[in-house]
Amino acid sequence: MTAYLCPPAVIHGKHAVRTSQIVDEVRGQHPNAAWAPRIDGIAASTGIETRGWMLPLEAAVAPGSGSGLPAAGIGPAREALAGDGFTEQDVDRVIAALEAIPAPQTVQERTAPAWSAVQSYGERAARGALQIAGLDAADVDCLITSHSTTPALPGLDVSLANRLPLRRDVLLLPATQWACIAGTRSLALAADLVAADPDRVVLVVIAEALSTTYQPADDTLESLIVRLLFADTAVATVVTGRPRPESTLRLDTAWHHTLPGTQDLHRLETREDGTHFVMDRRGPRAVQETVTAMWEWLRLRYQDDPGSWHPDVLLAHPGGTRVLEYMEETMPDGWPSGLLRYSRDSYTSGNRGGAAVFDIMRRAYDAGQKAGSRAVLYAAAPGLTATALEGEWL
């Protein structure tokens, strides 16, 4: 497998949301939660002060257009109250009180504006990646897309095919359920496609509005952490089978790993008020298992020369600081420190899900990562599944 990557385009959410704003909002919503006295320490432990969202915080916490009245409407509510012995005056007061209670946003109210933003951001990222690569939309032979947090059919692939626009014979490959591994796994797929046809041009676009999982009514500790972590980002890159003047990274091989029986540790649930990201506290430990498996893959790959090979940069999206620390603690003996510097830098402004690895790659490129550097790209996602790639900086 040999594939060449051009520098990615990265579009951050334009609305800066400070951690202090989230803490104030959550504290006001849940002053009596068991974790409320510790909220400042929990927020500080993330290491994130500001993250970019495609929509403002006010959009996530705004009430819905409905009211506290039952979905059946005023008539049935009046009949039910009257049947329970309420006087007409009492019924009027109850109905008025119910109408004054704001209802949570519906799935449609939460998802529709985010889906519109995902398409717009995805288009900007796609156009940016093509410009960086010195190509036009007409040069694209295949489009791979991912957007796990805004379910839609047709999806981002068809949207971009019309917006850019792409040729009618372009192969569209939507991968909406890859989530956090969308960056690495889409590159692995693209590499296979260009290996089969070196003249093929693959455009990869990932746009995630992770802020749609911000649920003001949830009072669990896990929900608090979700609200503090996520950022919105759109990224894109061009993958080719032959080197281009703009190529910055060559991919040589890919590795995939799935842990059985871990599908419930992280998941998206769609409820009446929108999408909820559900986490299990056992999740980081499971991600660590995939890290250990990746070290073994690299050990076997370079077992004939274990003392002289190590990556010069590790572009890793493990989902949180605990796993980053675990990666540093368990790296093979003799590996230099600082391999995760760009990963840590990216994480200080939020967890970007599937877009994270591209953002980390862009930071390494902007910092002037030198030619000949060995690189490993890694990400883990709900499932629990992981993908890594190994290659060389050009």
Side-chain angles (χ1 to χ4, degrees):
M1 176 184 101
T2 301
Y4 298 89
L5 274 61
C6 293
V10 180
I11 311 297
H12 301 289
K14 68 177 183 179
H15 297 278
V17 178
R18 300 188 306 276
T19 295
S20 59
Q21 292 177 276
I22 294 174
V23 168
D24 289 344
E25 191 279 327
V26 174
R27 183 180 280 123
Q29 285 274 357
H30 306 289
N32 300 316
W35 39 259
R38 299 184 290 122
I39 188 171
D40 290 319
I42 294 169
S45 70
T46 66
I48 303 168
E49 295 185 0
T50 305
R51 74 284 292 139
W53 284 4
M54 295 181 184
L55 301 172
L57 175 62
E58 292 76 16
V61 302
S65 58
S67 70
L69 272 173
I74 294 177
R78 282 187 173 278
E79 292 179 9
L81 291 168
D84 280 349
F86 282 78
T87 67
E88 185 175 350
Q89 188 176 19
D90 289 337
V91 169
D92 289 340
R93 285 202 299 268
V94 171
I95 293 295
L98 289 173
E99 288 182 316
I101 299 174
Q105 294 183 48
T106 63
V107 175
Q108 174 69 10
E109 288 172 327
R110 285 301 303 271
T111 304
W115 169 229
S116 177
V118 161
Q119 294 175 84
S120 176
Y121 274 70
E123 180 185 355
R124 289 173 58 196
R127 292 186 182 279
L130 289 172
Q131 183 177 20
I132 290 169
L135 296 171
D136 297 321
D139 297 313
V140 176
D141 300 302
C142 175
L143 171 67
I144 303 173
T145 59
S146 184
H147 57 102
S148 301
T149 45
T150 46
L153 184 66
L156 184 59
D157 58 326
V158 174
S159 174
L160 293 179
N162 285 276
R163 283 169 173 255
L164 291 175
L166 300 178
R167 301 191 321 264
R168 294 187 180 187
D169 64 342
V170 167
L171 174 61
L172 304 180
L173 294 175
T176 57
Q177 292 178 313
W178 276 349
C180 294
I181 55 168
T184 52
R185 193 155 292 179
S186 61
L187 292 178
L189 175 57
D192 286 340
L193 290 168
V194 299
D197 180 359
D199 292 322
R200 182 177 281 153
V201 173
V202 180
L203 174 63
V204 177
V205 183
I206 303 164
E208 289 289 10
L210 292 163
S211 58
T212 57
T213 63
Y214 192 106
Q215 295 295 344
D218 285 357
D219 63 356
T220 65
L221 176 60
E222 290 75 19
S223 178
L224 168 65
I225 294 171
V226 167
R227 278 179 271 198
L228 290 167
L229 292 186
F230 286 150
D232 297 346
T233 317
V235 296
T237 193
V238 169
V239 183
T240 58
R242 305 185 194 280
R244 295 181 55 80
E246 301 83 5
S247 298
T248 190
L249 183 64
R250 188 191 70 240
L251 298 179
D252 297 325
T253 189
W255 166 87
H256 307 286
H257 189 77
T258 300
L259 290 175
T262 57
Q263 63 268 31
D264 292 330
L265 297 185
H266 305 91
R267 63 190 185 277
L268 285 179
E269 290 185 356
T270 301
R271 305 174 190 169
E272 291 183 353
D273 57 351
T275 303
H276 295 244
F277 186 79
V278 182
M279 295 194 307
D280 189 292
R281 297 182 187 182
R282 298 170 297 163
R285 180 71 64 181
V287 177
Q288 290 171 8
E289 290 188 42
T290 70
V291 172
T292 301
M294 179 183 64
W295 295 151
E296 179 65 9
W297 166 63
L298 289 171
R299 186 188 70 79
L300 292 174
R301 179 166 168 76
Y302 291 95
Q303 59 185 333
D304 294 335
D305 194 15
S308 64
W309 189 91
H310 61 73
D312 299 293
V313 62
L314 181 54
L315 312 175
H317 173 60
T321 55
R322 287 175 58 187
V323 182
L324 283 172
E325 292 167 357
Y326 177 82
M327 294 182 82
E328 290 177 330
E329 293 167 359
T330 60
M331 284 180 187
D333 292 339
W335 281 22
S337 61
L339 296 183
L340 288 165
R341 56 192 178 278
Y342 303 119
S343 299
R344 287 191 172 279
D345 184 44
S346 174
Y347 195 75
T348 60
S349 52
N351 180 328
R352 294 177 169 79
V357 165
F358 284 25
D359 177 66
I360 298 166
M361 189 192 316
R362 181 71 205 199
R363 291 168 189 265
Y365 172 78
D366 289 341
Q369 189 68 33
K370 66 179 181 180
S373 299
R374 302 300 298 172
V376 170
L377 290 69
Y378 162 87
L384 190 107
T385 184
T387 290
L389 304 114
E390 185 263 330
E392 182 175 311
W393 217 264
L394 302 176

